[in-house]
Amino acid sequence: MSSRLARVDRRLFQMVAAHHFPGGDRVLPRLSRSANHGLLWFGAAAAMAATGLGGRRTARRAALRGTASLAVASATVNVLAKRAVRRRRPVLTDVPVIRQLNRAPFTTSFPSGHAASAAAFTTGVALVSPKWGAALAPIAASVAFSRVYTGVHYPGDVVAGAAIGVGAAFLVRRLLPSDHLEPPAVRTAVKAPELPEGKGLVVVANAGSGSSGLPPERVIGEVLPRAEVVLCGGEGGVDVTTALEQAAARAAELGGALGVSGGDGTVSAAARCAMEHGLPLAVLPGGTLNHFAHDLGIETTEDTRRALADGEAVEVDLARFTNEDAEPTPHDPAIPAAGGTFVNTFSLGVYPEMVRVRERWSPRVGSWPAGVIAAWHVLRAFDPVEMEINGERHRVWLLFAGNCRYEGLGLAPQRRSHLADGLLDVRVAYADRWARTRLLAGALSGRLSSSPVHGAALLRRMRIDWIAPGTRLAYDGEIGDAPGRLLLSKERSALTVYCPQATQRLTPLATTV
């Protein structure tokens, strides 16, 4: 059977070699060379992220998904497939010299890495943005065909490579969080003051957050013309804490609500301030990722405007980390001396290092490329940290604690469907022998939860009795030095937050540990 397929493959190759396509001798070899080492697709990803056609957020997510798919396909082809099947390249006697590449590839023929990369990138993009995928599909097909036309691959090599690329894209879609915003199943819907057009709302807007390029007061004013805006951050702006205190005092005077537009760190500080002053909170998606806003079902400022006009809100939990270090340590200005609160996530290990590298590169190259650089740095150079959990000493890559249960298993869980369950979602990746390999194998097989190097639990409180000096912590995008001991706990239903159509999504959920 294999010999018969090989004969058919060779006949198809000879048919392509004997056929002349108008313009192909001039265009296809150049196109084939442009895709060497994925340069064509990296350029396409950069153009998508820079132009933002079809929506800046969608274009960037599509570019990231395509690049990740390409990386998986390339690794599969070059590390596994080409070493397992050592097929020789076609003989070029039947291929016109004008078509042949200046520098012939030296690797084995099966499968085609160029076809795999083209199919992986285009499929990954199409799964997020069908319009971008349709635009790239003819280019990807041309790159794949060019490998046969220039004589460096048999048609079977190209078909196998394309199949690997498509499979890689669907695998990456399974491993990465979903791009679709699903309405959350909130626990308790409550009434809040009705603030049509933002009357009585005082919004703290972080001028340094987000990537729209427009002044935040202008964006907010177009949708909520009666809201008051207090700017913080940026050059010459007041600090976030001062701006929040001023806004909270003004909102209490008006009998209204505190609003916030900024990244997750700004939102976390606003949540703590709103709780302390007994004010409802309105979240406007003014940051780059807007995790908390998305878990509330808020994708645009219009969603917040609708919730304010209807007075619809939900109760949500706040999580707290408390410094229980018995010995005084130098105060880190990046975190409160006694600890702090978080609305999304807290972590020790890999994630703080990623945040540090991302923040260092973001002003130079932008947030999306900076995230790619940070991930590469961590995978290449990060060392485990030591800590004592439940009386046992461990070396871990990551300790993650989510405010409420997160959907999906693994080290990068997706969104929350419940915002007031009173639980901490704790995940730990232990740095045992072959931990990297075992974690990857568990993720690829979908059985990460049963991996011996991965632990998960739902808790109301968690105590970490000892943390190695120099360990960094991260919470809601902020990073700082970890104290010697920590207590993680919850404040259930501590905050009222405006949520569009909250009553339509009311779903009673059982709380279990």
Side-chain angles (χ1 to χ4, degrees), residues 5-17 87 90 109-112 115 144-145 147-149 151-163:
L5 290 174
R7 288 195 297 270
V8 172
D9 209 12
R10 285 193 293 270
R11 281 199 294 269
L12 290 174
F13 175 81
Q14 292 167 356
M15 290 174 58
V16 173
R87 188 183 194 184
S109 183
F110 183 92
S112 168
F145 178 73
R147 303 305 285 175
V148 180
Y149 195 70
V152 295
H153 280 294
Y154 292 103
D157 303 335
V158 170
V159 172

Side-chain angles (χ1 to χ4, degrees), residues 366-409:
S367 59
W368 176 73
V372 176
I373 294 172
W376 168 253
H377 169 80
V378 166
L379 290 174
R380 182 175 57 89
F382 186 75
D383 292 324
V385 298
E386 291 191 26
M387 61 186 68
E388 187 174 310
I389 306 172
N390 296 329
E392 294 184 10
R393 188 72 60 91
H394 296 280
R395 297 176 71 246
V396 305
W397 293 107
L398 168 70
L399 184 145
F400 166 95
N403 178 29
C404 301
R405 181 173 185 171
Y406 275 72
E407 299 299 324
L409 297 172

Side-chain angles (χ1 to χ4, degrees), residues 250-481:
R250 176 60 176 161
E253 178 184 330
L254 296 174
L258 177 64
V260 59
S261 174
D264 288 320
T266 308
V267 172
S268 180
R272 182 170 60 251
C273 184
M275 179 190 68
E276 292 172 351
H277 288 81
L279 292 169
L281 180 68
V283 180
L284 290 81
T288 302
L289 300 177
N290 303 308
H291 291 301
F292 188 57
H294 290 167
D295 288 336
L296 289 164
I298 296 173
E299 189 168 13
T300 66
T301 305
E302 173 61 26
D303 294 328
T304 308
R305 184 206 63 77
R306 190 167 63 251
L308 287 164
D310 296 337
E312 286 199 295
V314 295
E315 293 180 345
V316 303
D317 291 350
L318 281 184
R320 182 178 295 278
F321 62 96
T322 304
N323 181 355
E324 292 205 329
D325 198 342
E327 307 223 351
T329 56
H331 175 51
D332 183 349
I335 61 173
T341 59
F342 56 97
V343 294
N344 294 317
T345 62
F346 170 93
S347 63
L348 299 162
V350 170
Y351 187 72
E353 180 72 5
M354 288 186 65
V355 172
R356 185 185 68 81
V357 177
R358 185 190 68 196
E359 293 302 317
R360 189 179 70 190
W361 281 94
S362 184
R364 309 179 197 178
V365 300
S367 59
W368 176 73
V372 176
I373 294 172
W376 168 253
H377 169 80
V378 166
L379 290 174
R380 182 175 57 89
F382 186 75
D383 292 324
V385 298
E386 291 191 26
M387 61 186 68
E388 187 174 310
I389 306 172
N390 296 329
E392 294 184 10
R393 188 72 60 91
H394 296 280
R395 297 176 71 246
V396 305
W397 293 107
L398 168 70
L399 184 145
F400 166 95
N403 178 29
C404 301
R405 181 173 185 171
Y406 275 72
E407 299 299 324
L409 297 172
L411 302 179
Q414 301 177 20
R415 297 192 177 112
R416 292 161 288 186
S417 61
H418 197 312
L419 298 173
D421 61 9
L423 300 174
L424 293 165
D425 187 342
V426 179
R427 321 280 176 101
V428 182
Y430 298 103
D432 296 339
R433 188 179 182 184
W434 301 103
R436 281 193 182 101
T437 304
R438 294 160 84 177
L439 285 169
L440 178 60
L444 293 175
S445 65
R447 298 180 60 83
L448 184 57
S449 60
S450 60
S451 171
V453 292
H454 174 266
L458 296 175
L459 307 170
R460 291 189 174 89
R461 293 161 60 89
M462 179 180 183
R463 191 181 302 276
I464 305 173
D465 297 311
W466 179 82
I467 303 173
T471 299
R472 304 285 277 174
L473 66 78
Y475 66 103
D476 289 345
E478 304 295 326
I479 60 174
D481 291 325

Side-chain angles (χ1 to χ4, degrees), residues 231-239:
L231 291 178
C232 66
E235 294 185 5
V238 299
D239 65 90

Side-chain angles (χ1 to χ4, degrees), residues 210-215:
S211 54
S212 66
L214 297 176

Side-chain angles (χ1 to χ4, degrees), residues 61 133 182 186-187 192 197 232 307 333 339 398 416 459 468:
R61 293 181 74 88
E182 298 293 339
V186 297
R187 177 178 180 273
E197 297 185 332
C232 66
L398 168 70
R416 292 161 288 186
L459 307 170

